[in-house]
Amino acid sequence: MEFIKNAVGRLVPTEINGRELKPFMGAHADQGGGEKYGGKVPAAAKFNNKLLDNLDAAIDACEIRDGMTISFHHHLRNGDFLINMVMEKLAQRGLKNLVLAPSALFPVHEKLVEYIADGVIANIEGSMNGPVGRACSQGKLKGAAVLRSHGGRYRAIQDGDLHIDVAFIAAPCADPHGNANGVNGKSACGPLGFALADSLWADKVVVVTDHLVPFPCHPWSIEGGNVDYVVQVESIGDAAQIVSGTTRITRSPTRLLIARYAALFVADSGIMSEPHFSFQAGAGGISLAFVKYMSDLMHEEKVTADFIRGGSTKFMVDMLRDGLTKFILDGQSFDLDGVRSLRDNPAHIETNPFVSYNYHTKGCFAQMVKVAVLGATEVDVNFNVNVNTHSDGWLLHGIGGFADAADARVTMITAPLVRNRLPIIVDEVTTVTTPGETVDVIVTERGIAINPQRDDLLQRMKGSNLPVKTIGELHDIAIDMTGIPQKPEFDERVVALIEYRDGTVIDVVRQLLQQD
Amino acid sequence: MKFDFDDNELKKNEASFPHFARSGRAQKGDLVVEGEHREKGGVSVEIESSVKALFGARIEDVVRDSLRTLSAGDVHFKIKDNGALDHVIMARVETVARQLWAIPEPGVLPQARAKISSSKRDRPRRTRLYLPGNNPDIMLNAGLFGADCIILDLEDSVAQNDKWPARILVRNSLLAVDFGSSEKIVRVNPLTTANFAIDLEIVVPAAPDVLLIPKCENAEDLQAVEQMLIFYEKRAELTTEIMLMPLIETAKGVLNAAEIATASVRNVALCFGAEDFTADIGAERTAEGKESFVARNLILLAAKAAGLQALDTVYSDVEDMDGLIASTCEAMALGFDGKGVIHPGQVEPIHRVFAPTQQQVDYAGKVIAAIEEAEKNGMGVATLGTKMIDAPVVARAKRILALAEGDIFKNPPQITRENK
């Protein structure tokens, strides 16, 4: 295997799984070009009856063979039944060497580890976490996994880097034509955007629902014209695990402090009061509190955002209700308030990775967001961020939308400086998920570091009494508390590629020497 | 109250040492240490840790170095760590060692931080944040919330079985943890308990700024405390004098507040404790607090007459911010200088109540300018407009400016946005 040094100084292979790879050259170096994936031309006359009796009938109809690539979306999160249902059937049929292409995996999918061990699954492209990530770190996948951001996954499918043979789309509500949405039915989850690319470019598309309605199912997030088969099942998921009934803000004083610093940074830097303000925040403990503090500050200063981007939660819905934002642009709903609001409020808009995150488009929403607040596992003194591997080298998380959302005008990382003896700021991240050039501010409980390339932000913060420090100072504070950590020891073998949103390779994950 | 210096509690009879001992908690930022005597083989150590890949070697070094300092013989130590920092590991190892053999005093102390705080008698004490003494994780970030004082508690929040682990952990935390600009207070156990002298012996070498003395009832109590404090300060060769804060929480203590206030020159404030007081007088503790109104005022008057600060009790409903603010307003109106705090979220609302208004700050600035001008001109008395400025007016102005300055510069994370 040949390696080449990329723009963040990491050695990455030039070829893997028989595919030629490009090294990461810089966040916006890629200039596009080339052709999109085409796919076959269908004929409407053949699709008069798509409704099949059961999943087995759909698997038969799709003619799934060894080595095929099967995709799923993750809108049902830890409540998803479909991946386990389908994979169990494929395993029972004795299929081998399948490539799984999920947009994310959750702890509920732990059973996949067995299918990896049995050779049913040879590789994973897209995302993984927890037990499946551990198996990958132990070298149990036959191929080298590919981790992509949400936008990167859409791009890879659109560009033909990731060819999907069969896409199974769990749909909380669908009609016999295959129109589907995520806002109605007992398994309502909110948007269905992560399945869009799969529906457009997979050779076969199967919509699986537990709430079949007569045509037309409206609104339709998935369009029936892209769907081959529709299957009705008893249940596609566990509603309690799909969305949480109530979203609670963290009670940790440290996390609240970090969220408050982040919100005050947005206010003190003057960004909040400028025209066309917008922000993006997720559903982690600190992010939720950030949204709450932002809404307090915006209320005080009588600021209305043009839009806010979720992961929607009750706190964002409250902002929409209280006139603190004109729109919510929602990629996934994390609680019932989010789902209801998306269903009932025309100003709460469903988005998909094409419009929000894809780099191979004529512009996407991520680059219009003024402030994005994101979590991280590690940040290094060059502002490179790792969200994939723990400091001890285990691959435990997917990229999510991180690399894409970091395209915001100001990207802020919020994280405790020291977490159970682990320093968040390190000399060099274990894995580079996202380059430092796209990361502007690190907010911790012991100080805020601004990327020196953002002199504008440094100037703006001169009058603020927030504890602005250099990243080196924060690193010193952390190491002073924890001591200098040893580095994990890796084998030569590359077990996963970290693909940047433009399709270049920004880093690799290697097999761990210590396997327990 | 009588006591003698016969510290039998400290010197355990060798015959009573057990074969096996354990210390610590299976919690985040803590560890469980198990030690046992072996026939031979010297020191052996076994380590499990959530951060073993990154800090395993260092943890082993810390454990072995500690055991060497503690003169360990043939022992086996098993560590189950969950991300504890070095000073916590040292504390838990020492606690186990103390149970298993007679260690050379003073034990194994972490290196003191270079920054030694020098707290002043008259610093603001608007908030004093109580932390349980046996929880290492919660102490790490306690200095980040701007509380004027942090109280590491060895008394009510620590079960009798945990007194030893807590006092060693508190000692190590005083030395190793950066509490920011907060004053470091240790609440020791009452003088009437056997714990008191041991608390002092262990904690005084780590030089807390203040000792909070619970259940003070008369001047003799305080004098006894002072004598013992001086004894242990000398033994530890401290160069600074630890201050005292009597906590009055019984009917008898309230009636003797005046003599308690003047019993020691080291007193800086009188504190009131409502929970124990209401129990002592047989009343329910209510929201409006009529049952303790007289007591609080007596303590306040005693403190002020002696030139000390008067510090009110805690407000115990951490969710009720309106109640906290109302209670703080009332305390301030009576003349109290601060409230007790049991959650960091209570700090900022209280500081807001105590914050001087801009008008007060401006006026105080003028007063100081006028007095400086008068002094420059060799005049003893200054006037501002038509008003004469005498010593109490100057003192008040200085206090206001100190508070205002404290809000902007001293308290790190100013979460208020006053100077935007």
Side-chain angles (χ1 to χ4, degrees):
Chain A
M1 197 179 278
E2 262 186 70
F3 285 86
I4 186 168
K5 197 179 254 189
N6 69 13
V8 285
R10 297 291 166 127
L11 284 174
V12 298
T14 51
E15 183 256 304
I16 217 162
N17 305 348
R19 186 162 65 91
E20 197 186 317
L21 303 172
K22 288 185 211 153
F24 172 74
M25 301 294 288
H28 302 104
D30 178 74
Q31 297 296 307
E35 301 293 323
K36 290 187 192 173
Y37 175 69
K40 297 194 174 61
V41 176
K46 293 204 283 188
F47 293 92
N48 284 319
N49 187 10
K50 303 183 188 182
L51 193 60
L52 301 180
D53 287 344
N54 51 44
L55 263 181
D56 281 305
I59 292 168
D60 290 341
C62 291
E63 298 175 347
I64 297 176
R65 296 186 307 277
D66 288 353
M68 278 190 164
T69 298
I70 315 292
S71 82
F72 299 91
H73 69 75
H74 73 278
H75 282 291
L76 304 185
R77 284 176 282 270
N78 203 39
D80 173 61
F81 290 167
L82 189 64
I83 295 183
N84 289 343
M85 269 159 56
V86 171
M87 294 313 296
E88 187 180 354
K89 288 187 184 297
L90 298 182
Q92 279 167 1
R93 286 166 180 246
L95 288 161
K96 299 283 180 200
N97 293 328
L98 299 172
V99 176
L100 190 67
S103 58
L105 292 176
F106 282 80
V108 70
H109 303 120
E110 180 167 6
K111 193 142 197 279
L112 296 178
V113 174
E114 288 173 33
Y115 302 140
I116 292 169
D118 295 347
V120 178
I121 296 172
N123 202 8
I124 294 180
E125 294 214 21
S127 179
M128 63 180 77
N129 79 345
V132 179
R134 282 187 85 85
C136 181
S137 277
Q138 289 164 335
K140 291 188 177 164
L141 285 168
K142 286 186 193 159
V146 184
L147 293 181
R148 298 190 173 98
S149 65
H150 293 326
R153 182 177 185 273
Y154 193 103
R155 182 213 59 75
I157 298 170
Q158 166 194 288
D159 294 0
D161 290 353
L162 172 60
H163 172 77
I164 298 169
D165 293 295
V166 183
F168 288 90
I169 298 177
C173 182
D175 65 27
H177 180 51
N179 292 309
N181 69 49
V183 292
N184 295 318
K186 62 178 178 181
S187 302
C189 61
L192 279 186
F194 291 123
L196 177 63
D198 311 49
S199 77
L200 290 174
W201 281 292
D203 284 351
K204 302 281 184 189
V205 176
V206 182
V207 163
V208 183
T209 188
D210 55 5
H211 184 61
L212 189 69
V213 296
F215 176 86
C217 161
H218 189 269
W220 50 67
S221 309
I222 300 298
E223 295 180 9
N226 293 315
V227 175
D228 292 79
Y229 305 110
V230 178
V231 175
Q232 187 177 16
V233 296
E234 178 68 29
S235 177
I236 58 170
D238 171 7
Q241 297 280 316
I242 295 172
V243 286
S244 56
T246 54
T247 300
R248 278 167 179 260
I249 250 175
T250 176
R251 291 186 61 178
S252 150
T254 301
R255 285 167 180 272
L256 288 171
L257 184 68
I258 295 168
R260 197 129 186 222
Y261 279 165
L264 287 173
F265 185 95
V266 177
D268 284 4
S269 63
I271 298 168
M272 185 182 87
S273 312
E274 287 169 6
H276 307 300
F277 177 60
S278 60
F279 72 80
Q280 164 162 12
I286 296 175
S287 294
L288 283 178
F290 168 80
V291 174
K292 184 77 183 70
Y293 288 131
M294 273 318 296
S295 52
D296 290 348
L297 291 171
M298 289 167 67
H299 182 78
E300 230 171 81
E301 303 286 320
K302 298 188 172 41
V303 169
T304 300
D306 276 9
F307 67 93
I308 53 180
R309 260 190 67 64
S312 71
T313 59
K314 177 183 190 299
F315 300 106
M316 289 198 170
V317 171
D318 288 349
M319 289 184 72
L320 187 59
R321 180 200 61 202
D322 297 342
L324 294 171
T325 182
K326 292 176 194 159
F327 294 99
I328 297 174
L329 299 182
D330 194 1
Q332 49 184 328
S333 305
F334 288 112
D335 61 23
L336 278 176
D337 293 82
V339 176
R340 284 193 206 109
S341 169
L342 176 64
R343 187 188 61 202
D344 300 334
N345 191 337
H348 188 147
I349 299 167
E350 176 169 346
T351 68
N352 57 60
F354 176 74
V355 294
S356 45
Y357 284 156
N358 187 358
Y359 184 70
H360 284 174
T361 56
K362 296 172 181 174
C364 63
F365 297 170
Q367 64 206 79
M368 301 169 199
V369 174
K370 294 290 192 289
V371 175
V373 172
L374 308 165
T377 310
E378 290 177 331
V379 184
D380 69 24
V381 291
N382 298 313
F383 287 81
N384 296 315
V385 171
N386 168 21
V387 302
N388 296 116
T389 49
H390 276 204
S391 314
D392 53 12
W394 288 99
L395 174 56
L396 294 179
H397 302 285
I399 297 172
F402 194 101
D404 309 307
D407 218 18
R409 203 182 106 200
V410 177
T411 299
M412 299 172 67
I413 308 298
T414 52
L417 185 63
V418 174
R419 202 161 21 194
N420 229 18
R421 196 169 190 161
L422 298 177
I424 176 108
I425 296 179
V426 293
D427 54 350
E428 203 176 7
V429 284
T430 312
T431 308
V432 182
T433 307
T434 296
E437 62 178 299
T438 64
V439 176
D440 304 305
V441 184
I442 316 293
V443 183
T444 77
E445 73 281 16
R446 289 171 192 273
I448 298 172
I450 298 172
N451 192 329
Q453 76 183 14
R454 293 302 301 263
D455 191 50
D456 58 327
L457 291 176
L458 284 162
Q459 296 304 326
R460 279 163 176 260
M461 292 308 289
K462 278 206 166 140
S464 167
N465 53 13
L466 288 171
V468 175
K469 300 189 163 82
T470 67
I471 189 122
E473 286 170 336
L474 285 185
H475 180 230
D476 289 347
I477 293 172
I479 294 300
D480 188 44
M481 289 174 72
T482 65
I484 296 169
Q486 301 152 242
K487 298 278 181 194
E489 290 183 80
F490 294 100
D491 188 80
E492 279 289 292
R493 188 184 159 210
V494 172
V495 293
L497 300 177
I498 309 295
E499 202 178 89
Y500 192 57
R501 56 199 297 253
D502 62 5
T504 61
V505 182
I506 192 160
D507 207 349
V508 297
V509 179
R510 290 173 192 273
Q511 186 171 327
L512 267 173
L513 271 190
Q514 194 84 24
Q515 294 265 317
D516 54 344
Chain B
M1 159 83 207
K2 277 193 181 164
F3 69 90
D4 53 58
F5 276 68
D6 172 21
D7 42 14
N8 275 331
E9 269 291 324
L10 304 179
K11 308 288 170 248
K12 294 188 181 169
N13 181 350
E14 199 146 340
S16 72
F17 287 129
H19 175 71
F20 170 88
R22 181 199 319 249
S23 177
R25 299 144 63 252
Q27 305 278 333
K28 194 158 86 83
D30 205 340
L31 72 162
V32 175
V33 176
E34 295 176 346
E36 61 180 33
H37 288 292
R38 290 273 165 96
E39 291 296 310
K40 54 186 178 186
V43 171
S44 60
V45 174
E46 189 184 333
I47 289 168
E48 279 174 39
S49 170
S50 62
V51 293
K52 190 165 181 180
L54 303 171
F55 293 103
R58 177 162 175 138
I59 292 170
E60 178 154 356
D61 284 349
V62 170
V63 173
R64 286 188 179 274
D65 288 350
S66 301
L67 289 172
R68 203 170 302 127
T69 309
L70 295 164
S71 301
D74 298 319
V75 289
H76 180 70
F77 269 61
K78 191 171 165 187
I79 311 294
K80 279 186 204 157
D81 167 63
N82 193 357
L85 298 182
D86 288 349
H87 72 276
V88 182
I89 297 171
M90 292 161 82
R92 299 313 191 196
V93 168
E94 178 179 331
T95 309
V96 170
R98 280 180 183 273
Q99 294 170 74
L100 291 178
W101 67 88
I103 64 150
E105 295 293 343
V108 47
L109 276 59
Q111 203 172 7
R113 301 250 146 198
K115 197 172 74 184
I116 300 244
S117 71
S118 53
S119 196
K120 295 203 179 98
R121 286 186 64 85
D122 57 351
R123 62 159 292 152
R125 294 187 179 85
R126 296 161 297 182
T127 44
R128 41 188 215 290
L129 174 61
Y130 277 90
L131 301 175
N134 200 30
N135 183 339
D137 196 50
I138 217 169
M139 294 180 196
L140 292 183
N141 289 345
L144 300 177
F145 305 102
D148 289 329
C149 316
I150 283 170
I151 301 177
L152 305 178
D153 182 29
L154 295 175
E155 196 210 8
D156 287 348
S157 65
V158 177
Q160 184 55 39
N161 282 345
D162 290 334
K163 296 292 184 194
W164 265 107
R167 58 172 72 97
I168 293 170
L169 178 68
V170 163
R171 177 198 71 195
N172 286 10
S173 301
L174 285 169
L175 292 168
V177 175
D178 179 3
F179 289 103
S181 59
S182 302
E183 181 173 69
K184 296 182 283 190
I185 304 179
V186 175
R187 178 162 77 171
V188 293
N189 286 283
L191 181 63
T192 49
T193 65
N195 286 313
F196 177 80
I198 317 175
D199 289 348
L200 256 57
E201 163 158 13
I202 298 295
V203 163
V204 165
D209 298 314
V210 180
L211 292 182
L212 177 61
I213 312 295
K215 303 194 176 64
C216 284
E217 297 212 305
N218 53 48
E220 263 194 312
D221 285 358
L222 250 287
Q223 284 148 7
V225 167
E226 194 189 88
Q227 278 181 57
M228 284 185 74
L229 179 57
I230 290 169
F231 172 81
Y232 284 113
E233 276 178 352
K234 276 192 185 146
R235 202 158 100 167
E237 297 174 357
L238 282 199
T239 52
T240 51
E241 285 191 355
I242 296 172
M243 297 177 277
L244 290 173
M245 216 183 252
L247 174 54
I248 297 176
E249 42 192 348
T250 60
K252 207 165 149 191
V254 170
L255 291 178
N256 292 330
E259 65 169 65
I260 293 172
T262 53
S264 168
V265 291
R266 297 192 178 206
N267 283 350
V268 292
L270 292 188
C271 300
F272 173 63
E275 273 320 323
D276 284 284
F277 175 76
T278 45
D280 187 50
I281 64 169
E284 280 289 310
R285 195 174 171 198
T286 62
E288 66 271 24
K290 274 184 190 162
E291 69 284 353
S292 57
F293 187 70
V294 171
R296 289 163 73 214
N297 282 294
L298 285 174
I299 290 170
L300 181 126
L301 291 174
K304 299 291 164 142
L308 307 183
Q309 292 173 346
L311 305 178
D312 199 14
T313 192
V314 299
Y315 187 78
S316 36
D317 185 346
V318 295
E319 300 283 328
D320 182 1
M321 287 300 150
D322 293 339
L324 172 71
I325 289 167
S327 163
T328 308
C329 287
E330 188 239 17
M332 189 175 76
L334 290 176
F336 280 104
D337 300 282
K339 290 280 292 179
V341 165
I342 53 172
H343 188 277
Q346 294 181 319
V347 170
E348 190 189 340
I350 293 175
H351 285 197
R352 281 203 181 166
V353 171
F354 278 103
T357 62
Q358 193 56 48
Q359 212 178 351
Q360 286 174 312
V361 175
D362 292 346
Y363 185 75
K366 285 181 193 157
V367 168
I368 299 301
I371 196 81
E372 279 170 0
E373 180 68 20
E375 275 166 8
K376 207 161 58 183
N377 298 335
M379 305 207 294
V381 182
T383 54
L384 186 58
T386 56
K387 285 183 186 160
M388 193 177 80
I389 298 174
D390 52 13
V393 175
V394 173
R396 172 183 287 265
K398 280 186 176 161
R399 214 161 45 231
I400 285 170
L401 288 178
L403 273 183
E405 186 189 295
D407 265 347
I408 297 164
F409 300 111
K410 282 190 205 148
N411 296 325
Q414 255 334 296
I415 306 186
T416 54
R417 306 180 57 236
E418 283 123 343
N419 68 337
K420 181 172 176 278

